[in-house]
Amino acid sequence: MMHVIPDVLDAAGVARVRTLIDSAEWIDGNATSGHQSALAKNNRQLPEDSAQACEAGSIILDALGRSPLFIAAALPLKVFPPLFNSYGEGESFGMHVDAAIRIQRGTDFRIRSDLSATLFLEDHCAYDGGEIIIEGQFGTSAVKLPAGHMILYPSSSLHSVRPVTRGRRVASFFWMQSMVRSDAARGTLFDLDNGIQSLAARTGHDDPAIIQLTGVYHNLLRQWADC
Ligand code: NI
């Protein structure tokens, strides 16, 4: 399932992150690539151990922790510290698939990438191109969102970033391991959760059917979750 998570950061949050990362030293984006994606990638990134990237990443992780939509959609277990990239004119990232296992350099922190995220950090009218293209079960999506909004998609998806033809695209990107490994099971839980929430808004949370359905949600989560 693919999800747009709007307003992960408000304008002030985007400005805080941009002030930090814009003052940092950017390097060739292939620093984090595997062999296959290194052939396709042409952009700039902040080094993983950049102090500014770490501080900006914490702002994003805090914001994600306050997003009920993100939590319901991702059911996150472990989130890789957010990274940052920048595509200037003519830069792009060809079709690739993200590595299944991500290890944080110099630590024993590792995750299985179940979900990938791109959080847009530039005004979407300030650049042309730069859409992320995601191949899904029902076709291909081209996604470009306002600053502060995020796209969440299965890490198993083939994806690419179209060349930027004007301006500069700045974003944060990261991966996460979900408590629920299966995309289909996670999607079912998300739909059930949404259905319960909208029914409860009409009938009240103490309706016996809502209580029963909430039990079903938790019992499915109990069966499917690793934590
Ligand atoms: Ni990727």
Side-chain angles (χ1 to χ4, degrees), residues 138-151:
F138 301 109
T140 299
S141 308
V143 181
K144 181 173 179 175
L145 299 171
H149 295 214
M150 187 173 93
I151 181 80

Side-chain angles (χ1 to χ4, degrees), residues 87-91 122 126-128 164-170:
Y87 296 79
E89 282 180 26
E91 293 183 329
E122 180 62 71
Y127 63 100
D128 292 328
V164 169
T165 56
R166 176 185 65 93
R168 192 161 82 103
R169 173 201 198 264
V170 179

Side-chain angles (χ1 to χ4, degrees), residues 93 96 98 153 159:
F93 196 166
H96 66 281
D98 292 342
Y153 58 97
H159 57 278

Side-chain angles (χ1 to χ4, degrees), residues 37 41 87 93-94 96-99 102 116 118 132 153 155 157 159-161 173 175:
S37 49
K41 193 186 213 179
Y87 296 79
F93 196 166
H96 66 281
V97 70
D98 292 342
R102 286 276 164 184
S116 300
T118 294
I132 181 166
Y153 58 97
S155 300
S157 317
H159 57 278
S160 62
V161 176
F173 65 103
W175 306 275

Side-chain angles (χ1 to χ4, degrees), residues 8 44 76 78 108 115 146 152 210:
V8 171
R44 312 277 299 160
K78 295 192 275 186
D108 59 1
L115 288 162
L152 188 65
I210 297 294

